[in-house]
Structure formats: C-alpha cells, structure tokens
Amino acid sequence: MTNNKTTKIVILGAGSVGCYIGGCLIAAGANVSLVGRARLQHDIAQHGLRLTDWEHRNSTVSASDIHFTTDNDVLAAADFILLCVKSLDTESAATLIKQYASPNAVVVSFQNGVGNGELLQASLHQTVLKGMVPFNIFYQGEGHFHCGTQGSLAIENKDDVCQALLTQLHNATLPVDVYDDLTSVQYGKLIINLNNAVNALSGIPLQQQLGNRDYRKVVAAVQKEALAVLKAKGITPARLGKVIPSLMPYILSLPNGLFKLVAASTLKIDPQARSSMYEDLELNRPTEIDFLNGEVVRKGAILNIHTPVNSHIVSLVKRAEKNGAGSPHLSASELMP
C-alpha cells in the first residue's frame, strides 16, 4: 500500500468531519469512498465538494470525481476505514464493519469521546487505532464544508500499520501527530470539547462566545469539575498544541483584556465557526452530550465527586434535544445551576 490509487480509504459516517477529511484526500488524488446519509449524497451529487478553512485552503472537487454512497458493501474493499460516526452510533458501526469489512482493514476512530477505541477493539478482529480530530467543521450547504479552527489530527500508530494513510494525509495538507498511546490526548480533547455544549446552548459563534467572560466562566467551571475527576482517576490530560488543559480554567476566567493578550492564538478562529453540537441542535439530531459532559458526570458519580455544572449542562442539552427547536440561545447565567 504505497500509492494513492492502490490504497483504498473508506470514510464511514461521512458527515461534516468525514466529508472534509475525505474531500481533502480526494482533492489530493486519494482513492476514497464516502459512506453517509442520502441528504448529503444528494447535495454533493448536485454541487460537488468545496473545502475551505480559516487560513488559506479553498479546494473544489467535482461531483464526477466523488464516490459517495449509502451502500455499506464498499467497506469490503477498504484498506483503511476512517470512522467518523457520532459516539452513540459506534456499536452499530462496529456491526457494519464486522459484517462487511476485510479482516485486514485498519479502522481509525476519528470520533469525539474517550471510549470508542476500546469499544471497537472489543467488538472487532480488525486492527483499531484511536484518532482525534481537533478542528471544527461546519457545513454551509451546497457541498461546502468549512474548517473554522486550527490543529493537527492525531493517530495512535500501532506497529506502523498506518504509514500509507499518514502519507496520504500529508499529501492532502492535513497535518498529523503520531502517538504510541492516544489516551491522554483524548482526555485533553475532552477538556476542550466541554465547550461544545456551552456554545450550542448560547447559540452564538465560538469567537463571540469566547470573547464573553461570562460564558468563559461557565466553560471554566465545567473544566474544573472535569479536571478534579481526572485527577482522582490518576489521568493527566495531554497538552494539545498551545493548549495546556490544567491552565485553561484560569485563563478563561481572566478579564477580557488580559484574556485576549494571553490567549490570542485561541481566538484565531473563523468568526462564524460554531460547535458541531450547535449544528446537531439546529438539525434536530441527537447530540454527543452523554460522551462529553455526561462522561464527566458519570465518572464523578463513581468517584463520589460532585459535578453540578456539568450535570446542569447535560440537562439543558437534553431539554433542547427534546424540544427540537434548535439552540435555546441561553445566557451565561442560565447555564449555571
């Protein structure tokens, strides 16, 4: 597996993240199939793909060069399966992989949360690698997927089995950091992802939300609870780029002027970028709240550590899911118990 056309990559769960990563790979000449929902299949058949980011990327791929399908049979030919489904769909995705994929395929879990890799490995005979996607992708319609934040993909590379994939990601200008063990990285991403729900409930763009100290204090509160739970479990979340998880609550709590000085790189995001959970609420889809803030609540309960802010956030998101009316546009004070 050394060149673009002989290495077959299948994106299973081609939503915003999957279409962006897959589209970048296709634009660089990779042999990629996208497996996703009929709604996106129709959009992309009509418009092709446009892939942009907050810095300089602006690529287009014509519809005729894209293999987007709702048929899981394509998994049989995959050398690499990049799993981009929501965490609540991991078990059903494992069933599909078990049914259709070659036992020699390598499965990379590019999902939120911290338990998907273990769940997949327990269910599958294929090699499973943990992965992490640090950036935010927002679907703007008509095949246009926009990356609003920076960061490098992360992959756990057991026995160098994904060298061909790493080469193709590099060719697609998708930076990748490789780790022997991704666990601490996943927990570092979890700390950052606790803001997803705050952003979704606020209903405003990430840059605007992070520019508001009252909202930042809510994020700091959920992160402090999470860090206390992880400390009790003996877990140290890894630094991701310039972000040091243990310092984030204190930096977020700073007055606006000082925060802008200290966290200038954090604010280098597209003015219209929003969290994926905001998009889920707007489209009336189930969110990943149980695998983010809910994970903190569950672990806290086991350790007898009180997590009132995370518990309140979980309740608010579930209420918004039930109402099915999109983001409730709550104030920062409404996000605190």
Side-chain angles (χ1 to χ4, degrees):
M1 297 192 299
T2 57
N3 68 60
N4 283 8
K5 293 304 180 184
T6 59
T7 301
K8 177 64 176 179
I9 301 170
V10 174
I11 311 286
L12 181 56
S16 294
V17 168
C19 283
Y20 183 80
I21 293 175
C24 290
L25 286 165
I26 295 168
N31 182 1
V32 177
S33 291
L34 305 170
V35 182
R37 295 175 178 164
R39 175 181 64 87
L40 276 180
Q41 182 185 38
H42 179 266
D43 283 2
I44 290 169
Q46 292 290 314
H47 304 284
L49 283 170
R50 183 182 174 201
L51 313 158
T52 58
D53 69 18
W54 64 281
E55 195 169 32
H56 57 77
R57 188 190 299 270
N58 190 352
S59 302
T60 57
V61 184
S62 66
S64 61
D65 292 328
I66 301 164
H67 182 214
F68 193 112
T69 181
T70 58
D71 189 345
N72 298 307
D73 286 344
V74 72
L75 290 167
D79 296 303
F80 293 99
I81 299 170
L82 308 189
L83 188 60
C84 298
V85 301
K86 299 289 187 183
S87 293
L88 61 165
D89 294 322
T90 300
E91 288 189 28
S92 58
T95 300
L96 292 176
I97 293 169
K98 190 182 302 184
Q99 180 179 354
Y100 291 100
S102 162
N104 296 320
V106 176
V107 180
V108 182
S109 169
F110 276 139
Q111 301 169 270
N112 284 328
V114 293
N116 292 306
E118 285 80 6
L119 177 58
L120 289 165
Q121 194 64 82
S123 303
L124 301 174
H125 295 297
Q126 289 86 355
T127 297
V128 175
L129 304 178
K130 297 175 184 176
M132 188 274 290
V133 178
F135 41 72
N136 166 273
I137 307 297
F138 191 72
Y139 183 45
Q140 299 188 344
E142 298 185 350
H144 182 188
F145 294 88
H146 182 71
C147 176
T149 55
Q150 61 184 327
S152 297
L153 296 168
I155 292 179
E156 177 185 68
N157 190 13
K158 299 175 184 174
D159 302 320
D160 294 326
V161 297
C162 66
Q163 190 55 54
L165 175 62
L166 295 174
T167 298
Q168 295 203 37
L169 291 170
H170 173 77
N171 292 341
T173 323
L174 289 167
V176 188
D177 293 328
V178 178
Y179 297 84
D180 293 330
D181 182 1
L182 206 69
T183 302
S184 63
V185 175
Q186 289 181 306
Y187 278 104
K189 178 70 187 309
L190 175 67
I191 296 298
I192 295 172
N193 277 348
L194 295 177
N195 182 54
N196 286 9
V198 177
N199 179 254
L201 293 168
S202 75
I204 60 178
L206 280 163
Q207 190 179 75
Q208 183 180 346
Q209 178 229 319
L210 289 172
N212 183 307
R213 190 186 186 195
D214 291 334
Y215 281 120
R216 291 201 310 274
K217 284 182 176 180
V218 178
V219 183
V222 295
Q223 289 178 343
K224 283 180 180 178
E225 291 179 358
L227 288 166
V229 169
L230 295 184
K231 183 178 180 180
K233 286 187 65 66
I235 297 171
T236 302
R239 174 174 180 162
L240 300 179
K242 296 179 181 179
V243 177
I244 303 173
S246 61
L247 297 181
M248 286 186 68
Y250 305 100
I251 294 172
L252 289 168
S253 300
L254 292 171
N256 285 338
L258 193 53
F259 174 74
K260 289 177 182 178
L261 288 174
V262 173
S265 61
T266 304
L267 296 176
K268 287 183 179 179
I269 56 179
D270 189 277
Q272 295 307 311
R274 301 172 188 261
S275 73
S276 59
M277 195 176 294
Y278 168 84
E279 186 175 7
D280 288 337
L281 290 182
E282 290 298 298
L283 294 175
N284 197 22
R285 297 188 305 220
T287 73
E288 294 186 293
I289 190 65
D290 287 334
F291 301 90
L292 299 175
N293 303 74
E295 182 77 14
V296 176
V297 174
R298 280 194 303 276
K299 282 184 167 58
I302 293 170
L303 296 165
N304 200 27
I305 296 175
H306 198 35
T307 56
V309 186
N310 278 285
S311 296
H312 185 58
I313 293 292
V314 170
S315 297
L316 291 173
V317 171
K318 288 185 177 294
R319 184 187 306 165
E321 287 179 329
K322 184 177 180 180
N323 290 341
S327 170
H329 294 267
L330 301 178
S331 67
S333 62
E334 291 174 297
L335 300 186
M336 295 295 286

